[in-house]
Amino acid sequence: PRDMAVSYYFSLLSSHVVPDGVDSKGVRAELFRTRALAADIGIDQFVLQVTIPLFRWMIEGYIAQGFLWRPNVTVMRYEDVIFRKREWVQALCALYEWDISAKKANAVADKFDERPEIERPEQHVRQVTPGDHRRRLAPGTIARLNIAFAEYLRLFGYDD
């Protein structure tokens, strides 16, 4: 959730596409409002004020519905997808019982193994290295996130 908060901030700030045209549900206006808020208050206040309640609501919804423990749901950690992409693709194939050769599965994994050499704040794939919250957030902000997300960090196997 800590890296999600940082990614969400940058996505809203510069890379999230604003829909064109008539917007009867106010999505466009809300996106501009949230983007302006993010720019105005900065990353630390944004993750504390916006992402803590949003992500807690989202994760609690998954928990309350028993979503995480359904037999047809597999939870995979971001780090495992990023750093063990071939194993991840093989696990997906096994999960869905797809009979795909290791060569083809590896080709798929390699095709989508995108890790930019430099950070690209304006693009959807800004940077992919886990732990970005340590570079971007103040220690006090991280401490508050650790408290707010303690239950979820334990649930998903994060110990720091």
Side-chain angles (χ1 to χ4, degrees), residues 76-144:
M76 298 178 177
R77 293 174 9 138
Y78 180 77
E79 294 84 345
D80 298 332
V81 172
I82 294 303
F83 292 129
R84 298 169 54 213
K85 191 137 348 249
R86 286 182 170 195
E87 292 173 41
W88 174 63
V89 169
Q90 291 169 357
L92 287 174
C93 291
L95 177 69
Y96 290 105
E97 299 176 351
W98 295 334
D99 187 17
I100 298 173
S101 71
K103 182 178 179 180
K104 185 172 266 188
N106 288 341
V108 169
D110 294 345
K111 180 178 180 179
F112 295 100
D113 194 12
E114 184 178 358
R115 296 187 213 170
E117 290 184 28
I118 61 169
E119 185 170 14
R120 308 175 305 192
E122 72 291 344
Q123 294 187 25
H124 178 69
V125 180
R126 176 180 58 87
Q127 71 85 40
V128 298
T129 304
D132 194 36
H133 69 280
R134 291 184 193 98
R135 283 190 13 221
R136 294 293 186 169
L137 301 175
T141 302
I142 295 170
R144 289 177 62 188

Side-chain angles (χ1 to χ4, degrees), residues 12 58 60 65 77 97 130 136:
L12 283 172
M58 185 175 62
E60 282 300 321
Q65 295 176 34
R77 293 174 9 138
E97 299 176 351
R136 294 293 186 169

Side-chain angles (χ1 to χ4, degrees), residues 57-73:
W57 171 80
M58 185 175 62
I59 296 169
E60 282 300 321
Y62 294 142
I63 291 170
Q65 295 176 34
F67 186 79
L68 302 176
W69 298 277
R70 292 181 183 175
N72 62 340
V73 171

